[in-house]
Amino acid sequence: MAKELVKGNEAIARAAIKAGCQCYFGYPITPQSEIGEYMGANLPKLGRVFITAESELASINMVIGAGTTGTKAMTSSSSCGIALMQEAFSAMCCAEVPGVIVSVMRGGPGLGNIAPAQGDYFQALKGGGNGDYKLIVLSPSNVQEAIDLTYRAFHLALKYRNPVMLLADGILGQMMEPAEFGEYPYKDPDVNEWALSGANNRPARNIVSLHMPEGEMEQRTNMLFEKYAAVAKNETTFEEYMLKDAKLVLTAFGTVGRVAKAVVNRAREAGMKVGLFRPITLFPFPDKNLHEVAKNADMILDLELNMGQMLLDVRSAVFGACPVEFYGRPAGGLLTPDMIFEKVQELYKKLDDKTKAGVI
Amino acid sequence: MGADMSVIISGFGGQGALFAGILLCHTAVLEGKYTTWFPSYGAEMRGGAVNCSVNISDKEVPSPIIDKADAVIALNDASQIKFENRVKPGGFMIVNSSLSHIKPKRTDIKYINIPLNELAQKLTQPAFVNVMALGAFIEKTGILKLESIKEVMKEMAKTVSAKKAALLPNNLECVEFGANLIKNQMVTV
């Protein structure tokens, strides 16, 4: 199939439909409204369900309802809208309800603005919901990856019976570039073993997030974390670029990753040994892989459109193997190739000076 | 950087600045190039200011957001004011002199003044200033072929309503005329 020009938000919506999404529940918010628009125009034609909910809280709880029946369902929102869904994410994880959430980040905190940002890494990964739980979080850096990871989100949600978040930003949502859809590449597991499908002579089933008997919740949490360990073992993905001899390694997620990649190219042309490590799954975070990279590097520069959020996971993965620097801008401030290149030159010079002085 | 080209197209809502960018991208796709389109978005409305950033390249485009552009197409005076400082030194700005009479501020970029509204309205009714500007841009840069954008327009006409498709000949005329303005040196470049 040839590549076609497609907008990020529309690409996500189209991929969701191709992935077999039966229900979309959402409430409009910039910069992701085109997802709901596309779903509204197309799902009913296919005999599927589209509902403009009265709030984000309603949207995600409708996803829970559909999810308990094993139906592929999704919602999408942005920053302050996602904030309203946190309680439900925790409940979904506890009750093992599958569902796909698309978060297209804008500037915050508060209602913030509608400019692109990456300030919701903590929101997605460290959660505002209660208790020990984890969303599976996927981070696309271009429109093609937005399509591929939307497919993957629907599959992983059913495979692990867990909510999966596609964490994009306003740049990716609003931009157009060539991409291709292909076919939904996964074989999904049978949901009949657990789904609420009407008992009809089989024993009744109950999907709940309340476990009062002594020890039951502890046991359940341990079970969930065994599952998360399996997710980490099986599903961790990342991009490595020019890392073999890299002295300075850039880390970045989402659209910043593509900018960083161009800076690596430019730095290489200028004779600097710079590489890129880009996590594609944010949970599971590729911590072991990044640690190995850090052992062979002299320095890591973490780049984000926030005040340093993934930075905590980067530092934790690096665990002292090399120094970690941070460069970021929040709430709509953008990192251009020129700005990153300047920072790379500055840090690389420091490394060179240290090498000359025999420190490294 | 090879055949890299970054252009910001700006105007007031209804002039077709955003659509002109989409046309350019489709043309780039047709020619097998990498391309990105990024709009100003959110609280936009007809008559308000809108712009989009377009990259065309033989290599992957790192950032869809343009810091300094090789070229700016300013379809009105407000756009000239807003983006004059965003043209790279040595770059150029196509100014719709029908709607902008502002004196150029810079000496390190070229200004191509075209009275787009007058010319387009003389040529066809309804007229398409955005497409005429694209014709001039394509001819000036050589980044894409005029034939390719015409082919894109013809393909697009097949996917829209009959009422819109009927405007295809006007669009083709406008884009060709824009290119000829540069080719035949009818405007100062």
Side-chain angles (χ1 to χ4, degrees):
Chain A
M1 199 193 273
K3 285 194 175 184
E4 54 180 304
L5 190 65
V6 58
K7 194 173 197 175
N9 281 335
E10 187 186 319
I12 291 167
R14 283 172 64 182
I17 290 176
K18 287 199 87 160
C21 176
Q22 296 296 321
C23 311
Y24 174 92
F25 312 107
Y27 185 87
I29 179 171
T30 306
Q32 65 77 52
S33 293
E34 292 89 348
I35 297 176
E37 280 171 26
Y38 190 88
M39 289 306 213
N42 290 280
L43 279 182
K45 280 192 227 163
L46 297 166
R48 304 186 196 177
V49 174
F50 169 85
I51 293 177
T52 306
E54 70 271 31
S55 72
E56 289 84 352
L57 203 61
S59 308
I60 190 65
N61 279 285
M62 290 177 191
V63 171
I64 294 181
T68 55
T69 68
T71 303
K72 285 184 180 177
M74 75 178 276
T75 185
S76 61
S77 189
S78 178
S79 304
C80 35
I82 297 287
L84 295 166
M85 301 182 184
Q86 298 292 325
E87 176 195 27
F89 296 161
S90 165
M92 288 170 87
C93 286
C94 180
E96 296 197 279
V97 177
V100 171
I101 302 109
V102 179
S103 169
V104 184
M105 293 178 278
R106 59 187 239 177
L111 291 179
N113 59 24
I114 57 171
Q118 295 185 321
D120 303 329
Y121 182 94
F122 283 162
Q123 187 191 51
L125 275 299
K126 316 295 176 195
N130 56 304
D132 286 306
Y133 74 96
K134 288 185 186 299
L135 302 180
I136 297 170
V137 181
L138 313 176
S139 163
S141 71
N142 57 39
V143 175
Q144 185 62 57
E145 223 170 45
I147 294 168
D148 299 341
L149 292 181
T150 299
Y151 289 155
R152 196 165 167 217
F154 277 95
H155 177 63
L156 294 182
L158 283 184
K159 185 175 175 186
Y160 294 102
R161 286 183 62 187
N162 204 74
V164 180
M165 180 180 281
L166 186 77
L167 186 65
D169 60 56
I171 299 174
L172 190 62
Q174 292 297 321
M175 72 178 292
M176 278 187 171
E177 69 181 340
E180 55 191 326
F181 285 86
E183 292 303 320
Y184 181 65
Y186 300 103
K187 195 176 179 302
D188 295 322
D190 187 6
V191 298
N192 288 317
E193 282 170 22
W194 59 268
L196 303 185
S197 50
N200 194 22
N201 298 330
R202 65 153 167 76
R205 290 168 179 168
N206 201 7
I207 295 181
V208 293
S209 75
L210 180 67
H211 300 274
M212 292 295 280
E214 196 183 333
E216 190 176 298
M217 196 56 227
E218 183 183 3
Q219 200 184 4
R220 183 158 191 88
T221 307
N222 284 332
M223 181 274 287
L224 290 176
F225 272 70
E226 277 168 31
K227 180 171 81 176
Y228 299 146
V231 174
K233 185 165 169 277
N234 301 332
E235 310 297 344
T236 305
T237 42
F238 51 89
E239 180 188 6
E240 292 180 297
Y241 187 65
M242 302 262 186
L243 284 179
K244 217 170 181 184
D245 60 345
K247 291 170 72 174
L248 176 63
V249 174
L250 311 181
T251 53
F253 71 100
T255 52
V256 182
R258 63 189 286 161
V259 182
K261 199 172 178 180
V263 172
V264 169
N265 288 336
R266 210 198 284 184
R268 288 279 169 175
E269 280 167 27
M272 291 184 277
K273 289 174 181 168
V274 179
L276 168 70
F277 185 91
R278 178 175 68 90
I280 295 172
T281 51
L282 298 180
F283 176 78
F285 192 80
D287 46 3
K288 290 186 186 72
N289 314 82
L290 180 55
H291 186 73
E292 289 308 309
V293 168
K295 281 202 282 192
N296 296 317
D298 291 341
M299 182 183 277
I300 281 178
L301 170 61
D302 181 48
L303 303 159
E304 301 179 56
L305 298 182
N306 58 43
M307 297 302 279
Q309 298 194 8
M310 183 174 80
L311 178 64
L312 267 67
D313 286 331
V314 169
R315 278 192 185 137
S316 156
V318 170
F319 205 64
C322 74
V324 177
E325 294 279 335
F326 174 73
Y327 183 38
R329 291 181 72 193
L334 296 169
L335 293 176
T336 65
D338 285 352
M339 291 161 73
I340 298 175
F341 187 67
E342 211 169 288
K343 187 76 184 172
V344 163
Q345 276 180 311
E346 176 200 319
L347 291 175
Y348 204 86
K349 192 174 173 303
K350 274 189 200 167
L351 286 180
D352 264 354
D353 291 349
K354 277 189 188 172
T355 310
K356 276 176 204 151
V359 179
I360 297 177
Chain B
M1 294 291 263
D4 272 355
M5 174 62 62
S6 55
V7 55
I8 296 170
I9 309 174
S10 177
F12 56 75
Q15 280 187 304
L18 298 186
F19 181 69
I22 294 173
L23 266 181
L24 268 189
C25 287
H26 276 296
T27 310
V29 174
L30 184 73
E31 293 196 9
K33 293 181 189 290
Y34 290 94
T35 184
T36 60
W37 175 89
F38 187 75
S40 59
Y41 62 86
E44 316 297 15
M45 58 180 187
R46 193 174 173 88
V50 291
N51 69 80
C52 66
S53 301
V54 172
N55 284 289
I56 299 166
S57 178
D58 289 333
K59 292 184 293 188
E60 261 180 84
V61 179
S63 175
I65 291 163
I66 298 170
D67 199 11
K68 298 274 185 193
D70 294 305
V72 165
I73 299 175
L75 295 176
N76 65 353
D77 46 5
S79 302
Q80 183 180 344
I81 295 167
K82 187 169 181 187
F83 291 108
E84 202 162 23
N85 290 329
R86 297 271 295 277
V87 184
K88 280 182 199 165
F92 69 93
M93 185 172 212
I94 294 177
V95 176
N96 180 7
S97 53
S98 303
L99 298 180
S100 181
H101 308 289
I102 296 163
K103 229 178 126 196
K105 275 201 209 115
R106 290 176 60 178
T107 52
D108 60 341
I109 63 169
K110 281 180 183 154
Y111 292 83
I112 303 174
N113 294 305
I114 309 177
L116 288 165
N117 287 52
E118 276 101 318
L119 291 174
Q121 275 157 19
K122 245 184 254 171
L123 191 68
T124 61
Q125 286 295 339
F128 298 100
V129 294
N130 58 342
V131 168
M132 190 175 278
L134 282 188
F137 171 80
I138 285 176
E139 185 63 32
K140 164 79 180 148
T141 60
I143 187 81
L144 298 165
K145 295 187 191 74
L146 184 63
E147 282 316 305
S148 306
I149 195 168
K150 285 182 172 176
E151 199 179 321
V152 165
M153 288 172 169
K154 287 174 195 165
E155 284 304 309
M156 269 190 165
K158 291 178 192 166
T159 65
V160 297
S161 66
K163 198 179 154 195
K164 278 191 180 171
L167 299 173
L168 175 65
N170 293 17
N171 275 282
L172 292 172
E173 242 182 286
C174 284
V175 76
E176 174 107 37
F177 191 90
N180 283 337
L181 285 174
I182 303 292
K183 203 196 269 174
N184 304 330
Q185 298 176 338
M186 288 154 74
V187 290
T188 317
V189 176

